[in-house]
Amino acid sequence: MRRGARGASGVRGGRAGVEATDVDATAVRRASRVVGVQLTIASGALVVAAIGVAFFFVLDQLRPAELAEKPRPGEHKIYIDTTEAMIAFVVVGVLAVAVAGAASLIITRRAVRPLGRALQMQRTFVQDASHELRTPLAVLDARLQILQRTLPPDDPSSPVVAELRTDARALIDIVDDLLLAAEPVQDAHGDPTPVLAAVDRAADAMRVLAEPRGIDVRLDAPAGHDALVAMPAASLQRCVTALVDNALAHSPDGSTITVAVRVQVRTVTLTVADQGTGIRGIDPRRIFDRFARAPQASAGAAGAGAGASETSPTPVRPSFGIGLALVRDIAARSGGSVDVAATSDAGTVLRLTLPTLQP
């Protein structure tokens, strides 16, 4: 599968004048509406079928010959006007469908409410645990940095200390990702941010990871044609970093990653295209789900095809399925979206679309 990436911490996206929404809460509400509508349709169909059968049964019993017969002693007959009967059945059917629909929506909303609470509890636990881990990891990294500086260059333990510090930084990045994933959504009003500057900084930073593997990170942007988005620069840079890092994890050595920016009238579109083997082992629509990962066998095959060989100078870093989910969350909070534009054996193109600020 396409895996997430690390990035800067403490980032919050937003769009001026628009209330931010929790992606998980929105998904729960959408699911409740979908299930409620389906139940409404099913119960409405049953009501219509039952009323239709009853109406035709009544019509079948109203034979013209019986209308002319005189009632026998002690027998009573009721005469029904077919037009009035039709109107009555229609009214009863409409009311029954309306009641069934309202009841379905209410019951469905109550049924999914525990799911929303469970998601909130999960966020709270992850946030608390990440906060507790962040400080000791930062202290560990600082001590390793001091140790690294005190060691002479020819000390045989220097490479091991450098690897330990790299591992500590990777843990800090994972904790930062978890903090952002569990962060409660608030109203966020981002300052106007030039797109090209943030994209250029992110692409330039990722070249440090790409150069040891001979991967060329190219920026394809219109010269002098920039756009402003209502998102903090750090948030935009984080999104680009996650998309490029994801492409790096699935690109063969010596290949090219193209970061393209296209400015339209009301939107700006950023695409990140790699030359890997495409998305395998998972539905492309699910790669932005939090903690979504491909089966181990498929993931390993994809990783090997993406240049994670034993001879690769820079091993592909493990993924926990958080980076791309955070890109989705940040984009959604800013009124944008992220999706898979294309995927095949020739590579994958991820597309980030954001609304622009009109002058």
Side-chain angles (χ1 to χ4, degrees), residues 134-290:
R134 198 171 188 274
T135 299
L137 285 175
V139 173
L140 175 63
D141 180 66
R143 290 178 176 175
L144 288 173
Q145 184 178 3
I146 294 174
L147 178 61
Q148 189 178 28
R149 290 177 178 176
T150 57
L151 291 176
D154 57 348
D155 193 299
S157 59
S158 294
V160 178
V161 174
E163 292 178 357
L164 287 175
R165 193 179 175 208
T166 300
D167 294 339
R169 290 303 310 171
L171 286 174
I172 292 174
D173 290 335
I174 293 172
V175 170
D176 288 340
D177 282 345
L178 289 173
L179 279 171
L180 282 174
E183 184 178 64
V185 181
Q186 301 175 357
D187 292 346
H189 302 282
D191 296 329
T193 298
V195 173
L196 295 183
V199 173
D200 183 67
R201 284 194 299 269
D204 185 65
M206 296 306 296
R207 290 189 181 99
V208 177
L209 298 177
E211 287 175 357
R213 295 175 53 194
I215 298 177
D216 183 18
V217 179
R218 297 179 181 177
L219 179 59
D220 179 11
H225 191 196
D226 203 351
L228 296 177
V229 294
M231 174 188 290
S235 297
L236 179 57
Q237 187 171 343
R238 175 179 177 79
C239 289
V240 180
T241 299
L243 294 175
V244 176
D245 196 24
N246 176 76
L248 280 174
H250 299 85
S251 294
D253 295 349
S255 62
T256 300
I257 295 175
T258 303
V259 182
V261 179
R262 296 292 179 265
V263 179
Q264 288 83 32
V265 177
R266 297 184 178 274
T267 60
V268 58
T269 302
L270 183 142
T271 58
V272 177
D274 62 50
Q275 296 177 340
T277 56
I279 300 174
R280 297 181 178 182
I282 190 173
D283 188 341
R285 294 172 296 182
R286 291 192 58 239
I287 66 170
F288 299 102
D289 293 345
R290 191 168 294 125

